[in-house]
Amino acid sequence: MHDPTFYPQPPGQPVDELAVAEIKSAILTKLRLAIGKEAGMATRYDWYKAAALALRDRIVHRWLAADKEIYDSGRKRVYYLSLEFLIGRLFTDALNNMGLLKVFETALGDIGPGLSELSQSEPDAALGNGGLGRLAACFMESMATLAIPAIGYGIRYDLGLFRQIINHGWQQEYPDVWLSHGNPWEFQRPEVSYHVHFDGTVEHIDENGRDRAVWHPGETVEAVAYDTPIVGWRGNHVNALRLWSARSPDPLKLDVFNTGDYVGASSEEARAEAICKFLYPNDESQAGRELRLRQEYFFVSASLQDLIKRHLGSDGQLRSLPQKAAVQLNDTHPSLAVTELMRILVDLHNFRWDEAWKITVETLSYTNHTLLPEALETWPVELFQRLLPRHLEIIYRINAVHLALAEQRAPSDIEFRASVSLIDEKSGRRVRMGQLAFIGSHRINGVSAMHSDLMKDTVFHDLNHLYPGRITNKTNGITFRRWLMLANPKLTALLCEVCGDGVLDDFSLLENLEARASDNAFQQEFRKVKHHNKIALARLINERVGVKVDASALFDVQIKRIHEYKRQLLNILETVALYQAMRDDPQKDWVPRVKIFAGKAAASYRYAKLIIKLINDVAEVINNDPMIGGRLKVAFLPDYNVSLAEVIIPAADLSEQISTAGMEASGTGNMKLALNGALTIGTLDGANIEIRDHVGAENIAIFGMEAGDVTIRRKQGLDATDVINRSPRLARAIHAIGSGEFSPDDRSRFESVAHALRYLDYYMVSADFGSYYDTQRSIDARWQVIPAWTRASILNVTRMAWFSSDRTIREYAEEIWNVPVRPTPLASQGQGVRGARA
């Protein structure tokens, strides 16, 4: 097989004609033999699937070679456990990393629908809810790029996160049937399946004076593997994302079926399949909470059984597990890995408790993503006792040893023991999963410098005292291949002109751009790119929500999960105040501004959904008011996903990172937007601090209270009437919202919002309003000085290299996982334009 270049071709270089001819032939062959259609009868999706399968064939060669090399060499593997993997569309991503983007684009242009049209046919796999899942996807790509042997483990959700529809301003949730046409990227592995048990009883047997536990489960579910190849840059290495699907070992009870109970005969299959049906079931009900716990144990148990089987197949014994396997727990969802690994070692492989515990702690590490106590999952002891009885016993034994250590460190300190205990006795006896992950891991990392420091002072203060030195920091990063090269190809081409093609391999070369930041000719080219991207977004806004916007206006973007601490409410409150100011003085030379929102609220999060309604109601009034002459527009773009982000981010001028200080762990949207030339307006929260340190305080707009100020004010109370009384502008905006000026059909709709802004200001929306409003007006002033704004935008791009997920993964590999990182060959180091033959 001819293997065309695996290196992006410099501008102007002709495409390999032999490669194009081969790809044409491969696509047409797939269309006939895999899809069963001739070209004249094929739909657009048929063409996409044929092209994807042709590309997949070329990836598989690299994948199998990488897997064999890892197995033969006995290299240590990383196992990344995450309940979310927000991978988005894979077609163009894989094409880009394989260096085949231009080849396929040319081939498809000759024989069928164009590449751009085909790529839209691929479903956007919604296997995550935001930053957590997207981070996992970026990390998987970077591990492949750095040739780190790794497997990602998660759940193959049939429906993923819900599809968001905005109906009369309200969020409505519908199933996201992303698998309705199949998935050409995955390989079903029916031979790779494991039994996962639930319920039942535990029997204790005396074996020569040693207690042995035997779990007699009441229910068994089968986990079946589906593998998706994750391609690293230049196709040099391919890892696997292994997702588990659930099914019943007995899909149909024939005796029940033959009695006429056709529904009851398949009830066990339906119960099993519910595990992988939907991401984040509503946990307000007991059934929802049980399903969530079943999901978490299901994927943890299957993943650990799989990696242990792989380890035993290559190493033969489990004492060496920490030397051959690094298991990373992405947030608290996989915390049951601690108890499950102990169960496997002690109950199934007869390890003594102390040795099993040493192996477990040395193997596992835990990434914490939140300082919100409610996000550090806890489960009722009663639910644990019923669903996972053996694991509750293990938790009690871990806790006994753990509390004995606490007593040694702080004798007779009952409050200290209560704070570090795995069982919360104050809230109806609940198992604390964050604590379990902490004491069962040898390293616990935060995801920004500030977040890691706050962990030591807040949620894990006492645990850090008990186990000093375990907490470390690994500031998040993003893959530039996806969020610059693919999302913003015109900017990428411009960067290659200035920094050389080597920048595609070594993003530190972006620093060469700095010398051109004040160059007028370069600034004009830079602005042309941004304007091109804004025209594309303006077109999409008109298509999606029917709002016409001016591409020359300032595009002000807040795209993230809808949550009170992320403060979309502060943004729309300032929008109301700005609108009122414009109406008061319509003759003033106001800076045209487009406020762009996107994000989903959890289905059960009623207040967040009310904020979405508020944004849409405010948009309805503002967008249709002739008095302001279109100088302020508001657009809420529904069903936010990776593909939508890839259109919004390159077009953004201003990035809203306005979370309440001390509450955002890191953020990655802030990195993506700054990398694409948006200036950040934000609090000193999460990675905003490190972004400020890298791009320069003069190239970011910081406002509001710092984390310490927030803590002090909360202790003083949540009543914000003192702030409101000093700000007629704030009082007027709150009154407009609360009195129904934006909801004439239901004037009481937002009374609860106005009440919270006045008396329950936990997230400091009212308290930070004045600083935020003034900073926004300084943004207006900066926007009007075009060369200065452009220079700041360019400097944001050039100084963001440190925020590559490649850097983050190198730090994990060297400081937590203890795995070697192979340097990626650079084109500038003498590599030829042509790749190797497959």
Side-chain angles (χ1 to χ4, degrees), residues 77-99:
R77 285 186 192 258
V78 173
Y79 300 96
Y80 197 83
L81 273 61
S82 179
L83 201 60
E84 300 183 36
F85 283 97
L86 194 55
I87 54 178
R89 291 170 172 159
L90 292 177
F91 184 40
T92 52
D93 192 46
L95 280 175
N96 184 56
N97 277 11
M98 289 289 286

Side-chain angles (χ1 to χ4, degrees), residues 54 173 191 195 198 291 420 440 449 623 676 714 737 787 800 807:
E173 302 91 25
E191 76 283 4
H195 284 171
F198 298 97
L291 179 56
V420 299
N623 295 341
N676 282 272
R714 281 180 180 158
I737 291 170
M800 285 299 293
R807 183 269 313 159

Side-chain angles (χ1 to χ4, degrees), residues 171 241 316 377 402 510 542 685 737 764:
Q171 171 180 293
L241 173 61
E377 291 180 312
H402 166 61
L510 283 172
N542 191 28
D685 196 32
I737 291 170
M764 304 294 130

Side-chain angles (χ1 to χ4, degrees), residues 387-445:
L387 204 63
L388 299 168
R390 176 54 182 151
H391 294 76
L392 185 60
E393 290 185 348
I394 293 171
I395 286 171
Y396 282 151
R397 183 165 179 182
I398 293 171
N399 203 34
V401 177
H402 166 61
L403 291 180
L405 177 62
E407 176 65 19
Q408 291 178 13
R409 294 287 175 87
S412 303
D413 190 336
I414 297 175
E415 289 189 6
F416 180 76
R417 290 202 305 276
S419 73
V420 299
S421 175
L422 295 183
I423 309 297
D424 181 359
E425 305 284 356
K426 297 179 181 179
S427 304
R429 303 200 75 230
R430 301 178 70 89
V431 180
R432 294 164 160 166
M433 305 309 287
Q435 259 94 334
L436 177 63
F438 190 107
I439 69 173
S441 301
H442 69 283
R443 284 289 182 272
I444 297 88
N445 71 279

Side-chain angles (χ1 to χ4, degrees), residues 768-820:
D768 265 350
F769 172 83
S771 176
Y772 179 59
Y773 186 90
D774 291 344
T775 304
Q776 286 283 22
R777 303 293 73 76
S778 72
I779 291 290
D780 288 340
R782 294 183 71 173
W783 176 258
Q784 292 175 305
V785 185
I786 295 174
W789 180 279
T790 307
R791 180 178 186 276
S793 180
I794 294 169
L795 291 176
N796 266 267
V797 175
T798 188
R799 295 174 179 177
M800 285 299 293
W802 187 79
F803 293 93
S804 166
S805 52
D806 296 352
R807 183 269 313 159
T808 312
I809 288 300
R810 281 185 181 276
E811 292 180 3
Y812 273 101
E814 294 168 357
E815 300 169 24
I816 295 180
W817 301 333
N818 191 29
V819 296

Side-chain angles (χ1 to χ4, degrees), residues 169-273:
W170 291 101
Q171 171 180 293
Q172 294 180 349
E173 302 91 25
Y174 292 88
D176 179 16
V177 287
W178 72 286
L179 286 171
S180 59
H181 289 88
N183 179 7
W185 296 108
E186 68 184 10
F187 291 83
Q188 183 180 6
R189 308 292 194 193
E191 76 283 4
V192 181
S193 66
Y194 300 94
H195 284 171
V196 177
H197 305 301
F198 298 97
D199 304 330
T201 59
V202 180
E203 178 186 6
H204 287 268
I205 300 172
D206 188 327
E207 289 188 346
N208 300 320
R210 182 178 175 186
D211 177 76
R212 179 169 173 264
V214 179
W215 182 13
H216 301 288
E219 179 188 3
T220 297
V221 173
E222 193 171 4
V224 181
Y226 287 75
D227 289 351
T228 298
I230 304 297
V231 186
W233 178 233
R234 298 200 183 284
N236 288 316
H237 186 86
V238 182
N239 283 325
L241 173 61
R242 174 160 286 182
L243 302 179
W244 300 104
S245 185
R247 69 187 182 193
S248 171
D250 187 7
L252 185 71
K253 292 187 175 297
L254 281 176
D255 55 341
V256 178
F257 185 88
N258 289 331
T259 67
D261 185 2
Y262 307 128
V263 175
S266 58
S267 61
E268 289 189 10
E269 179 72 359
R271 179 171 167 80
E273 289 180 351

Side-chain angles (χ1 to χ4, degrees), residues 104-180:
F104 268 70
E105 184 176 45
T106 304
L108 286 166
D110 291 344
I111 61 174
L115 176 61
S116 177
E117 184 181 356
L118 277 197
S119 63
Q120 301 302 311
S121 298
E122 181 179 7
D124 202 315
L127 304 182
N129 187 32
L132 179 78
R134 186 53 231 171
L135 181 77
C138 284
F139 279 5
M140 287 301 299
E141 194 269 0
S142 278
M143 282 188 268
T145 290
L146 298 175
I148 295 173
I151 296 177
Y153 283 120
I155 294 179
R156 181 182 180 265
Y157 302 103
D158 294 343
L159 300 175
L161 193 65
F162 60 85
R163 183 166 54 94
Q164 182 193 55
I165 300 294
I166 301 299
N167 187 4
H168 299 293
W170 291 101
Q171 171 180 293
Q172 294 180 349
E173 302 91 25
Y174 292 88
D176 179 16
V177 287
W178 72 286
L179 286 171
S180 59

